[in-house]
Amino acid sequence: MSVGGGWKASCENVTAKLEEDVVSCVIVDNSAMLNILLLLFLIPTLVSSSYNEDLIIERRPHHVDWEDLFMEYNRYSAPNRVRQEVNMTIEVVDIRGDRLIFEMNQNWRDERLRFVGVARVPVPAHIQPWIPDTYIRNGWDVVVEQKSLDLNYDGTFLLRQKYQVTVNADENTKELPLIIASFNNYGTDRIHYNLINSKIDLPSHSHLSSKPHQRKFDELRFDDVIVTVHSSSQIVDSLISNSTSV
């Protein structure tokens, strides 16, 4: 009996020990599982945070991917194939006899080249968009001293040029006419020029005026603009003539 009783006590001790170990294992396993679940929850947050920070650091504001922007772009075609509007501003800087030095700005919109941003960026030299084939029709010994081309985010181009050109002055009025025209209506049926602003600040000449002039050559039609630089002597002569008649 004593042997059997001792064996029974030993079995109860072993059973109690096993139960304690099982409980301990369950506690350990539950703790490990909790850590694993917590880690799985935090990993997406950490990765997302790191990813967003990288994007903020690597972003280049007002950057233009020129190769992507000009993919499938046809530079031989104007934005408007029927009638392309080109706005101009002219500032006469100096006049020496029949030779004018002036700056001319041209702007036009090309909807094909819009990009995301709020800035105007310079166009690299190797990029070749459509530009109007503008020239001084009655000028000779023409020199373009400076030129720059910028593109705005909405697709508006700004072409700035500084010219030296000689024209024949009117013998009677001393006026200096500039005939600004398209050479061949490049890429469109017609290029229409609009002079939206002009400036001159010289004592020898008073102001500039402009008028449209349409002409036809073969099957081509041209919308020229005649810009006239008026001499200050015209105003003096007119005042003298008016006072004499009175």
Side-chain angles (χ1 to χ4, degrees):
M1 294 293 293
S2 61
V3 173
W7 175 253
K8 182 178 181 181
S10 299
C11 289
E12 290 177 351
N13 292 335
V14 170
T15 302
K17 180 63 175 176
L18 289 174
E19 291 177 352
E20 182 180 348
D21 291 342
V22 169
V23 172
S24 177
C25 290
V26 170
I27 294 175
V28 171
D29 288 345
N30 288 340
S31 177
M33 183 61 69
L34 182 61
N35 291 334
I36 292 173
L37 291 175
L38 182 61
L39 183 60
L40 290 176
F41 175 77
L42 291 177
I43 284 176
T45 305
L46 295 173
V47 172
S48 177
S49 176
S50 176
Y51 182 73
N52 290 336
E53 289 177 0
D54 290 343
L55 284 179
I56 294 173
I57 293 172
E58 293 178 358
R59 286 187 63 188
R60 300 172 62 183
H62 315 311
H63 170 69
V64 178
D65 188 337
W66 295 103
E67 305 303 328
D68 181 66
L69 187 63
F70 276 79
M71 186 178 298
E72 299 183 0
Y73 178 83
N74 183 6
R75 70 183 183 91
Y76 302 104
S77 174
N80 190 319
R81 293 298 305 273
V82 178
R83 176 186 164 111
Q84 178 62 49
E85 299 286 336
V86 177
N87 296 324
M88 301 184 305
T89 63
I90 291 179
E91 180 178 359
V92 178
V93 179
D94 196 10
I95 298 176
R96 301 172 184 175
D98 294 345
R99 192 158 183 81
L100 285 79
I101 301 176
F102 66 94
E103 295 177 356
M104 180 168 67
N105 295 344
Q106 301 178 72
N107 68 76
W108 64 94
R109 179 170 293 184
D110 195 332
E111 297 283 349
R112 299 169 294 179
L113 298 176
R114 292 178 296 175
F115 62 91
V116 177
V118 292
R120 191 173 64 196
V121 294
V123 179
H126 71 282
I127 297 298
Q128 296 183 328
W130 178 90
I131 62 174
D133 55 345
T134 308
Y135 78 118
I136 311 301
R137 189 163 187 259
N138 64 323
W140 50 281
D141 194 17
V142 179
V143 177
V144 180
E145 292 185 340
Q146 300 288 339
K147 182 176 72 171
S148 69
L149 182 63
D150 293 338
L151 175 62
N152 202 44
Y153 73 98
D154 64 352
T156 300
F157 279 97
L158 174 61
L159 175 61
R160 302 187 63 187
Q161 296 169 303
K162 183 179 180 181
Y163 279 89
Q164 286 193 32
V165 60
T166 301
V167 296
N168 294 322
D170 187 285
E171 294 183 355
N172 297 321
T173 63
K174 305 302 180 182
E175 293 177 345
L176 296 168
L178 285 170
I179 302 177
I180 301 173
S182 168
F183 186 74
N184 196 39
N185 287 329
Y186 177 63
T188 183
D189 292 341
R190 182 179 297 187
I191 297 179
H192 183 79
Y193 293 96
N194 304 298
L195 183 66
I196 59 175
N197 195 17
S198 62
K199 180 181 179 181
I200 185 171
D201 189 14
L202 299 173
S204 58
H205 293 77
S206 59
H207 66 285
L208 281 71
S209 65
S210 67
K211 64 178 181 179
H213 174 71
Q214 295 186 350
R215 59 186 173 89
K216 183 178 180 181
F217 180 75
D218 290 337
E219 297 301 320
L220 297 176
R221 295 181 179 273
F222 298 91
D223 291 345
D224 303 344
V225 172
I226 301 177
V227 180
T228 302
V229 183
H230 296 270
S231 172
S232 297
S233 62
Q234 292 178 261
I235 299 177
V236 175
D237 293 341
S238 177
L239 291 174
I240 293 175
S241 176
N242 291 335
S243 62
T244 303
S245 61
V246 172

